[in-house]
Amino acid sequence: MQNSTETPGRSNAEIRPFRIEIPQAELDDLRDRLARTRWPGELPGQGWSRGVPLEYLKELSEYWRTGYDWREHEARLNELPQFTTTIDGANVHFLHVRSPEPEALPLIMTHGWPGSIVEFLDIIGPLTDPRTHGGDPADAFHLVIPSIPGFGLSGPTSEPGWSAGRVGGAFAELMSRLGYDRYGAQGGDEGAIISPDLGRAAPDHVVGVHVNAASVGFMPFPPLEESELAELSEAERARVERIADYMDDGSGYAQIQSTKPQTLAYGLTDSPVGQLAWIVERFQDWTHAELPEDAVDRDRMLTNVMLYWLTGTAGSSANSYYEDKHSGAWPQPSGVPTGVAVFAEDISIRRYAEQSNTIVHWSEFDRGGHFAALEAPDLLIADVREFFRRLR
């Protein structure tokens, strides 16, 4: 996939142009595997309660095999400037889209799991070139959008220890290599853990951190005492209930990824339908739509799945859960100005976020969810602009 065949060293600071070029043989292999899927049975009438329904996945897999056009989406991605560099022994792939506005603020945006750089495709234009998209040119950003080491186009990591804190340090080095001395950080899901850690790693350079779909460091862990619950608003109590429901009935994937990611990797790396189901289940559950494509474009979701399948990063991305669980680290107080966007299905609660973050901006929305850049890009764009406006 890379236009250079050299093997970079651990301390090689070179930034290399990158282009996605998937061999046709890999696409043919994918279609062949999809055609030969060995399907399980299922209990009747269960819907999504026990996982992805059989008929839904059969139909989606057939569309993936015969209707979805990877080359179209590969070309779309290749329209964006892409690069790789080696940091702390890991390959780091990233988009680097500079604004036409000379005074634009550099901003590094970080995805989560099971996301990727494709989450941000619809917001790159408005954030880098607001003048063209009906916004104020004073709100422009130079965007750096990395693939987390071990995820997607960064490829698998080759050693343990890639916790969120280590990734945050690596991204500080990435911004330094790009010549950015003063910049913002934004992220959702795992990116909402990495971005604050980037602020802790480089507080003299990060002017502010904006997060959505935030969890660790921004939420409580039930059960809470009745006296504590009584101090919360109705909306906050509903978030506590969602957290409890998630821990009881929605966190099976996280338990596996944080304890036995290697065992999981065999099935997901060998079976495209297995990889598809593992990711699509999260899209359905976290968008709280009847079907994932009711909230997120079907082709965009499949392109996201493709970045895991084609790069063989099911196991290495799952390892991020293991590393965070076993790192022993807990968010330490940060003085970096922090903004939180709470979309309709998010679980952040301000009083808990303030325990380890300097909260200067807090927004709550009645729509959108975990994949805000895909589900409610207009709200995310506006909130990112508003937060960083005071920090430029």
Side-chain angles (χ1 to χ4, degrees):
M1 282 185 268
Q2 190 173 325
N3 66 351
S4 173
T5 58
E6 67 178 282
T7 302
R10 187 177 193 89
S11 59
N12 187 347
E14 179 188 5
I15 293 174
R16 304 171 293 275
F18 180 91
R19 182 176 176 84
I20 307 170
E21 295 175 339
I22 301 300
Q24 185 59 41
E26 292 191 29
L27 302 181
D28 294 342
D29 175 71
L30 169 61
R31 293 191 181 96
D32 180 61
R33 287 170 182 263
L34 289 170
R36 294 186 296 106
T37 300
R38 183 175 180 233
W39 295 101
E42 70 172 352
L43 295 174
Q46 300 303 304
W48 288 80
S49 64
R50 297 173 187 244
V52 184
L54 178 60
E55 289 307 312
Y56 170 79
L57 197 63
K58 281 186 173 181
E59 190 278 328
L60 182 59
S61 298
E62 183 61 14
Y63 173 75
W64 191 13
R65 187 177 75 87
T66 62
Y68 171 82
D69 182 0
W70 163 255
R71 293 302 186 197
E72 173 188 341
H73 301 284
E74 179 184 68
R76 169 71 180 89
L77 288 167
N78 280 332
E79 292 174 357
L80 299 167
Q82 300 177 68
F83 305 88
T84 62
T85 191
T86 305
I87 303 176
D88 195 12
N91 185 61
V92 178
H93 164 272
F94 61 98
L95 307 178
H96 187 197
V97 186
R98 288 187 58 83
S99 172
E101 305 296 339
E103 300 303 315
L105 176 69
L107 178 67
I108 180 169
M109 304 190 76
T110 305
H111 64 84
W113 184 92
S116 69
I117 59 170
V118 303
E119 289 184 58
F120 301 112
L121 293 181
D122 291 336
I123 69 176
I124 290 174
L127 289 179
T128 58
D129 191 9
R131 187 190 301 268
T132 301
H133 292 82
D136 185 343
D139 288 329
F141 297 93
H142 299 306
L143 292 185
V144 178
I145 304 176
S147 300
I148 299 171
F151 286 68
L153 295 168
S154 284
T157 44
S158 60
E159 61 184 7
W162 277 98
S163 64
R166 185 173 177 182
V167 175
F171 286 175
E173 171 63 20
L174 173 61
M175 296 302 278
S176 175
R177 289 185 188 182
L178 293 174
Y180 293 136
D181 183 64
R182 186 175 182 274
Y183 54 89
Q186 199 285 329
D189 187 76
E190 182 74 4
I193 301 175
I194 293 169
S195 296
D197 278 346
L198 170 54
R200 294 180 179 97
D204 294 335
H205 301 284
V206 178
V207 300
V209 171
H210 182 279
V211 298
N212 64 283
S215 56
V216 177
F218 294 85
M219 54 167 264
F221 288 88
L224 303 184
E225 298 289 340
E226 285 298 325
S227 58
E228 191 172 358
L229 284 170
E231 296 177 353
L232 303 180
S233 69
E234 182 177 350
E236 290 170 337
R237 287 195 294 273
R239 289 173 208 158
V240 173
E241 290 179 7
R242 285 203 296 275
I243 296 168
D245 288 344
Y246 165 82
M247 294 174 70
D248 288 342
D249 204 37
S251 61
Y253 77 95
Q255 294 296 324
I256 294 173
Q257 294 195 158
S258 62
T259 56
K260 296 293 185 287
Q262 183 61 35
T263 302
L264 174 68
Y266 299 114
L268 301 192
T269 304
D270 186 60
S271 168
V273 166
Q275 178 70 93
L276 178 65
W278 194 248
I279 290 178
V280 165
E281 180 192 80
R282 294 298 92 214
F283 272 80
Q284 193 275 337
D285 196 30
W286 287 345
T287 59
H288 292 261
E290 182 176 353
L291 297 176
E293 50 265 55
D294 292 340
V296 174
D297 179 77
R298 174 180 272 202
D299 273 21
R300 187 66 57 81
M301 183 171 64
L302 287 172
T303 301
N304 181 74
V305 173
M306 286 289 276
L307 291 188
Y308 284 84
W309 174 257
L310 294 171
T311 59
T313 52
S316 54
S317 61
N319 267 319
S320 67
Y321 279 68
Y322 185 97
E323 300 294 355
D324 287 346
K325 177 182 176 68
H326 292 85
S327 69
W330 188 254
Q332 298 301 306
S334 170
V336 176
T338 299
V340 181
V342 185
F343 290 87
E345 300 299 336
D346 286 346
I347 53 177
S348 303
I349 298 176
R350 184 162 187 161
R351 68 179 60 201
Y352 300 99
E354 288 176 337
Q355 293 175 5
S356 56
N357 302 278
T358 301
I359 304 298
V360 300
H361 173 92
W362 190 274
S363 299
E364 299 190 6
F365 302 103
D366 60 3
R367 62 182 173 92
H370 189 88
F371 302 98
L374 293 171
E375 298 176 72
D378 58 326
L379 296 181
L380 182 62
I381 290 165
D383 205 63
V384 168
R385 287 173 174 171
E386 180 183 352
F387 170 67
F388 282 106
R389 198 170 288 146
R390 74 188 76 177
L391 300 171
R392 289 175 177 269

